[in-house]
Amino acid sequence: MGDHDVSPNPKGSFRKFLEQLSGAGKAIGVLTSGGDAQGMNAAVRAVVRMGIYVGAKVYFIYEGYQGMVDGGSNIVEADWESVSSILQVGGTIIGSARCKDFRSREGRLKAAHNLLQLGITNLCVIGGDGSLTGANIFRKEWSGLLEELAREGKINTEEVQKHGYLNVVGMVGSIDNDFCGTDMTIGTDSALHRIIEVVDAIMTTAQSHQRTFVLEVMGRHCGYLALVSALACGADWVFLPESPPEEGWQENMCIKLSENRARKKRLNIIIVAEGAIDTQNRAITSEQIKELVVTQLGYDTRVTILGHVQRGGTPSAFDRILASRMGVEAVVALLQATPETPACVVSLSGNQAVRLPLMECVQMTQEVQKAMDERRFKDAVQLRGRSFENNLNTYKRLAIKLPDSQIRKSNCNVGIVNVGAPAAGMNAAVRAAVRVGISDGHKVFAVYDGFEGFAKGQVKEFGWADVGGWTGQGGSILGTKRTLPGKYLEDIASQMHTHGINALLIIGGFEAYLGLLELSAAREKHKEFCVPMVMVPATVSNNVPGSDFSIGADTALNTITDTCDRIKQSASGTKRRVFIIETMGGYCGYLANMGALAAGADAAYIFEEPFDIRDLQSNVEHLTEKMKTTIQRGLVLRNESCSENYTTDFIYQLYSEEGKGVFDCRKNVLGHMQQGGAPSPFDRNFGTKISARAMQWISAKLKEPAGRGKRFVSDDSVCVLGISKRNLLFQPVAELKEETDFVHRIPKEQWWLKLRPLMKILAKYKASFEVSDAGQLEPMQPRGPEEPATI
C-alpha cells in the first residue's frame, strides 16, 4: 500500500489531518430524500465511514424527513459494518419518502427535538432540489425552533447554547441531472446505462423488421437523459422540454425519417423526454409521435416507455466513485463549517469536487423552469449550463446532414486513423469526426489497420452513411495496430501525398502519442507531415499525457467493477475468502486504483506507489482482523505491472500461506475482457464530443490564412486534445514531452493519485488525506471563455 501508512501508528501528516478535522463529540445525521437514485448507498457508506474515521458519531435517519419527524427507531447510530456490502446495491438502504409533515413548522419542531435528543447538529442530505431547499429552511429556523422547544420546557437553556446552530451539506441524488451547479448528479450515469442497454437491445430487433421505435425516457422538466442517450445511440430525432422543435416539426421529422430509410437505414429511433413540449408549451407524447409516423409514413412503429427501470439496477462505476468522493467531501465540509457558513452542496466540476452555495444552485435550477414556462427556450438551454448546450449543438451537427448544395466545400482532405490497442468508444469517435468533417466541407478519408495500413495504402473515402450505427459498437471497426510510423515514414508520406491529405486525426493510446511525436519529428524530411495533426486519447489504461481521461477507460472500469461484484457475491456464500484480482493498465495504476474504489476493495497495488514485504504483511494482518467481524471476505486488486517480483502468483501464495486457518485465497486475471464489450454511455458520449471538437480544431486550422497550401511547422499544429481538471485543452506534443515518463509510458503526474487515500480510508486504513482549500465555497458563476470539460 506504500509508505507503510497502513500501520496502526499514524504518521505526522495524518495527525495534522485529524487535528485539523476532529469530529470528536460531533454527531452527523445522514438521510436520503425524494426520488431514489443509484449511487445513494455509496454516498451513505462514504459519509458513515469518513464520519467514524474522524471520530464523529454518525446516525442513519430512515425514511427521509418523515423519519426525522417521527424520530424513535427511525434515527439509529451506524457503525462501520452497517454499510458493508451496500456499494453495489441500487436505491437507498435507509429508505426515502415524500414528507408532508416536514413542510409545516410543527413538523420541523418535532424533527429538531428528535435530533437534539441525540446531539445531531450536522446534517448530510442526499436528494433533489426540493429536499435540499427543505434542509435550508430547517437550518435557517433552527435557533427559533430551539427557543420554542425551550419555552415549552422540552429542552433546557444549556442545550440551546450548546447546539445553537445546524450545519447542512447537500449532495444531489437525481437521475435527471437537473440540478444547476454540478456537471453530474448521483444516479445520472447509471440511468444512462439502463437506457443504453435497452436501446442496444431494441436496435437488433428493429433492424430485423425495419421498424421505427419511439422510446420515452424519464425527465419531466429536464431533457438531459434524452439528449445524452440520443447522442450515445445516434437517434434520428429527440424531443426535449428545454428545446422544443420548431413549428412544422411534424413534416420535418417525417422527411428526415424517410431520407434515412432511403439511405438503406433499416431502423429509426426517436427519443422522447417524458416532459417534452412544443413551442406553445403543449405536451408532445410518445403515442402522438407513433400516430404521426404510422399515418404519414406507414412505418411499422412501436412505443417503449422505460419508466422506473431507469432508476433501478446496480450503480455504474462512475456513480460509485462520484458518490464516494462527494460523501467524503461532505463530511469534511460539515466539520469545517462555522455558524456563518451557508448551507452548501458538494458538486462535480470537470473531475474536481467543489462546494457551492446551496440556495444559489436551487434558485438557478428554478430559473430554468421559469424560462421554460415563459417560453424563453434559448435562455433555458443556457441556464442548464455549457455542457448541456454543447451536447445539444453536437447532437444537431451529427444527426442532421445538410444537403450537399448547402455545404461549402473546403477542398481539404482529412485523414482519420486508429492506433494502439482497441478501446470501446473508438467507433463513436470515428463517427463523430467523419460527420463533423463532412459538414465542415472536407473530404474524409478513413485509414484501416493503423500506421501499417496507412503505409500499405488501405485508405478509403467515407460518406455520412458509412458510419451509421457505429456508436454502440465495441472495439475498432477500422482495425488498429500498435505499430509505430517510424519505419514506414517514407510510405506514409507518399500515401498522404497520393490522397492529398491536409490534416490528420489520430485516435488511440500511448502508441498514438509516440506516433504523433515521430510524425512531428519527421516534418523536416517530409513536407507531407507539415499539416495540422491532433490526437484524441483512447485507451483502457488511461495513461496518455495531456488528458485526465481516455476513451475506453470507463467501459473497462465497469467491466472490472461488475466482475468484482460477482466475485464478492460468490465469497459471501463461502465466507473467509480473499480474492486477488489482476487488472490491465501497463504501468498505469488507474484501473486498479479506481476499480478498488468502485468495488470497495481492501487494497490495490499499483506501480506509482511502491510497496514492500512489510506492506503486504500489514495487509494480511488487516484482513485477518476483518475476518473476525461479520464481513468475512476480502478483495485485493493488483495492477499487472505494479512490481516485477511481487507478481499476482507471489501475492496469492503469500496470502494463502499467511492466512492459513483464517482465510483461503483465490486469484483471477481479468485480461482482455477489459478491452472488449459495448462502450459505456460515458465512453460513447465522451468519444463523440471530444472527437467532434478535434475535427472543429482541424477545420479552424485549415481556415487560417493560406491554411490549405501552407506548411504547418509550429508546435501548436501538433496537439493532444484532452481534459485537464475542468477544461478541454489542446496541448502541443512538444510541451507534453517534459511531462512524460517514456520508460513506463505514463504521465509524470497523475490526478487520480489524490483519490488514493479515499480508497484506504473507506477500507479502514490510516491514510493522510489532503483537505480541500480551507473549505472555501465557490461562487456560482457562468464559466469563462475556456472550454468546459464536462462530459
Side-chain angles (χ1 to χ4, degrees):
M1 298 284 283
D3 282 334
H4 320 299
D5 56 359
V6 289
S7 62
N9 306 320
K11 294 158 55 178
S13 55
F14 175 63
R15 268 197 217 102
K16 182 176 133 224
F17 163 57
L18 272 186
E19 278 154 23
Q20 238 181 337
L21 259 194
S22 171
K26 295 199 177 181
I28 299 170
V30 58
L31 71 142
T32 50
S33 171
D36 65 324
Q38 309 97 319
M40 278 183 164
N41 287 327
V44 169
R45 170 181 179 266
V47 170
V48 169
R49 292 196 167 174
M50 185 64 180
I52 292 171
Y53 185 82
V54 293
K57 280 187 167 186
V58 186
Y59 291 87
F60 285 149
I61 299 172
Y62 287 99
E63 311 308 334
Y65 287 118
Q66 193 63 56
M68 203 192 288
V69 174
D70 296 344
S73 61
N74 289 302
I75 307 177
V76 178
E77 189 175 347
D79 62 18
W80 195 272
E81 289 170 44
S82 57
V83 289
S84 169
S85 302
I86 67 169
L87 193 58
Q88 64 271 31
V89 180
T92 159
I93 60 151
I94 54 176
S96 180
R98 312 263 178 207
C99 175
K100 258 194 185 147
D101 298 348
F102 193 74
R103 290 185 183 168
S104 67
R105 187 176 165 88
E106 196 186 338
R108 293 194 287 274
L109 195 66
K110 278 185 190 169
H113 189 221
N114 290 330
L115 293 184
L116 278 178
Q117 287 172 320
L118 296 163
I120 300 171
T121 53
N122 295 284
L123 266 194
C124 181
V125 181
I126 308 163
D129 58 347
S131 311
L132 300 182
T133 308
N136 194 53
I137 294 168
F138 192 40
R139 187 188 73 88
K140 282 184 173 163
E141 289 182 353
W142 184 258
S143 55
L145 294 170
L146 296 202
E147 282 162 19
E148 197 173 321
L149 288 168
R151 281 198 302 276
E152 290 174 7
K154 288 184 178 167
I155 58 171
N156 57 36
T157 45
E158 257 174 53
E159 285 180 283
V160 175
Q161 283 169 335
K162 190 181 170 192
H163 303 303
Y165 65 97
L166 177 73
N167 294 322
V168 171
V169 173
M171 283 183 264
V172 190
S174 154
I175 65 164
D176 294 338
N177 203 29
D178 56 356
F179 193 80
C180 294
T182 185
D183 292 347
M184 282 293 249
T185 56
I186 296 167
T188 306
D189 187 67
S190 304
L192 286 170
H193 272 257
R194 297 298 92 80
I195 295 168
I196 293 304
E197 281 160 19
V198 171
V199 172
D200 284 353
I202 277 176
M203 277 185 150
T204 52
T205 170
Q207 276 184 318
S208 318
H209 296 278
Q210 282 200 330
R211 277 199 180 129
T212 298
F213 267 90
V214 181
L215 235 84
E216 185 181 302
V217 301
M218 278 184 163
R220 258 198 313 256
H221 308 292
C222 178
Y224 184 87
L225 287 179
L227 176 55
V228 174
S229 41
L231 249 184
C233 72
D236 297 78
W237 202 272
V238 65
F239 291 92
L240 314 169
E242 296 89 342
S243 178
E246 288 159 15
E247 290 299 320
W249 60 268
Q250 293 90 337
E251 195 183 341
N252 292 339
M253 185 181 81
C254 289
I255 291 170
K256 168 89 194 302
L257 295 178
S258 52
E259 276 177 1
N260 281 348
R261 279 289 166 97
R263 287 199 199 103
K264 300 277 192 293
K265 190 175 179 189
R266 292 183 60 86
L267 78 157
N268 303 113
I269 289 202
I270 299 164
I271 292 183
V272 194
E274 62 180 329
I277 47 176
D278 64 13
T279 47
Q280 302 308 307
N281 279 24
R282 290 178 302 233
I284 296 177
T285 67
S286 35
E287 276 303 325
Q288 255 174 298
I289 296 163
K290 176 189 167 176
E291 285 306 307
L292 179 73
V293 177
V294 171
T295 49
Q296 298 287 318
L297 299 170
Y299 291 171
D300 186 358
T301 307
R302 298 281 192 277
V303 172
T304 301
I305 297 173
L306 292 188
H308 282 70
V309 165
Q310 296 157 85
R311 271 224 194 111
T314 183
S316 66
F318 184 94
D319 271 331
R320 297 180 195 197
I321 293 165
L322 174 68
S324 300
R325 288 178 71 180
M326 285 185 171
V328 168
E329 183 69 26
V331 172
V332 174
L334 282 171
L335 297 185
Q336 289 178 334
T338 65
E340 289 70 50
T341 314
C344 79
V345 61
V346 180
S347 78
L348 180 78
S349 178
N351 68 5
Q352 292 184 301
V354 294
R355 298 179 206 171
L356 299 168
L358 186 137
M359 282 324 289
E360 285 185 38
C361 295
V362 169
Q363 274 153 2
M364 198 161 158
T365 304
Q366 288 163 354
E367 281 294 313
V368 182
Q369 191 54 48
K370 201 174 151 207
M372 280 152 58
D373 293 341
E374 292 169 7
R375 310 212 297 244
R376 291 183 287 114
F377 295 110
K378 253 202 171 112
D379 294 350
V381 168
Q382 278 172 342
L383 284 164
R384 276 273 177 246
R386 294 274 294 280
S387 134
F388 191 90
E389 211 176 342
N390 281 4
N391 278 330
L392 186 56
N393 293 337
T394 307
Y395 172 77
K396 286 176 179 167
R397 289 200 76 176
L398 298 176
I400 297 156
K401 181 183 186 291
L402 288 171
D404 287 342
S405 56
Q406 287 178 37
I407 298 176
R408 280 189 58 193
K409 296 283 174 277
S410 67
N411 297 325
C412 292
N413 298 346
V414 180
I416 301 175
V417 60
N418 287 346
V419 178
M426 272 183 163
N427 299 321
V430 173
R431 168 186 175 266
V434 167
R435 291 197 168 176
V436 172
I438 291 171
S439 60
D440 281 351
H442 313 314
K443 278 188 175 180
V444 182
F445 289 86
V447 177
Y448 287 87
D449 295 337
F451 288 122
E452 214 172 290
F454 208 165
K456 291 177 185 161
Q458 291 168 276
V459 182
K460 179 189 165 195
E461 187 183 345
F462 262 39
W464 186 273
D466 291 331
V467 288
W470 277 36
T471 47
Q473 307 275 336
S476 160
I477 297 173
L478 287 181
T480 175
K481 279 196 160 62
R482 291 175 182 270
T483 324
L484 293 176
K487 52 181 176 184
Y488 301 110
L489 289 172
E490 203 72 48
D491 298 334
I492 293 173
S494 101
Q495 288 298 332
M496 299 249 313
H497 180 76
T498 306
H499 293 94
I501 290 184
N502 307 100
L504 199 56
L505 169 63
I506 302 173
I507 299 165
F510 205 84
E511 284 88 1
Y513 171 67
L514 294 175
L516 200 56
L517 282 167
E518 288 184 3
L519 294 178
S520 170
R523 278 177 158 184
E524 283 173 24
K525 241 177 127 181
H526 303 281
K527 66 176 189 303
E528 288 82 1
F529 300 139
C530 298
V531 298
M533 296 192 267
V534 61
M535 175 199 160
V536 168
T539 164
V540 299
S541 306
N542 199 26
N543 61 338
V544 175
S547 189
D548 294 350
F549 293 105
S550 301
I551 300 165
D554 183 72
T555 306
L557 206 49
N558 277 294
T559 303
I560 292 167
T561 310
D562 290 347
T563 311
C564 288
D565 285 354
R566 291 179 185 193
I567 283 172
K568 274 166 78 172
Q569 204 173 26
S570 79
S572 65
T574 41
K575 302 276 195 298
R576 299 179 180 278
R577 183 163 279 177
V578 175
F579 281 88
I580 290 142
I581 294 172
E582 182 188 301
T583 66
M584 281 174 115
Y587 286 99
C588 178
Y590 178 82
L591 289 179
N593 189 66
M594 300 304 257
L597 187 55
D602 296 281
Y605 299 115
I606 60 171
F607 167 76
E608 290 87 347
E609 193 175 278
F611 57 98
D612 60 24
I613 196 73
R614 284 164 300 181
D615 295 308
L616 292 169
Q617 180 61 35
S618 152
N619 292 148
V620 171
E621 284 161 16
H622 186 273
L623 284 164
T624 307
E625 282 305 302
K626 190 179 177 185
M627 295 299 159
K628 293 175 187 167
T629 70
T630 55
I631 321 165
Q632 298 182 347
R633 51 152 211 277
L635 187 63
V636 175
L637 271 66
R638 178 188 174 275
N639 160 252
E640 59 183 354
S641 303
C642 64
S643 162
E644 203 181 338
N645 296 314
Y646 296 137
T647 59
T648 303
D649 280 338
F650 177 90
I651 293 174
Y652 161 69
Q653 284 163 349
L654 176 92
Y655 271 56
S656 299
E657 184 61 36
E658 295 292 317
K660 256 191 192 148
V662 183
F663 57 80
D664 64 353
C665 267
R666 294 285 183 277
K667 64 171 184 210
N668 199 327
V669 177
L670 297 185
H672 283 71
M673 260 173 64
Q674 296 157 84
Q675 267 178 10
S680 66
F682 180 100
D683 278 332
R684 296 180 196 203
N685 193 17
F686 179 46
T688 298
K689 284 172 72 172
I690 198 168
S691 181
R693 185 63 198 90
M695 191 53 89
Q696 286 167 336
W697 176 86
I698 285 176
S699 296
K701 283 277 179 216
L702 293 173
K703 274 187 191 136
E704 282 175 8
R708 192 174 154 261
K710 186 178 106 177
R711 282 194 184 189
F712 289 85
V713 288
S714 61
D715 285 348
D716 69 354
S717 61
V718 188
C719 287
V720 171
L721 169 57
I723 285 186
S724 176
K725 293 199 173 90
R726 300 190 196 180
N727 304 318
L728 268 180
L729 293 180
F730 288 91
Q731 289 168 273
V733 281
E735 289 171 21
L736 288 174
K737 266 181 170 167
E738 299 306 307
E739 299 169 24
T740 309
D741 169 353
F742 284 99
V743 178
H744 298 106
R745 300 160 58 98
I746 50 175
K748 286 179 184 168
E749 275 189 27
Q750 306 195 76
W751 68 274
W752 52 266
L753 283 168
K754 278 199 177 124
L755 302 186
R756 195 145 166 79
L758 288 196
M759 190 213 89
K760 296 182 185 178
I761 287 169
L762 297 176
K764 218 173 184 174
Y765 285 94
K766 299 276 184 276
S768 51
F769 180 71
E770 250 181 74
V771 179
S772 48
D773 319 329
Q776 292 306 309
L777 276 188
E778 297 210 0
M780 271 292 283
Q781 56 191 31
R783 296 259 177 87
E786 75 281 356
E787 294 194 47
T790 49
I791 305 307

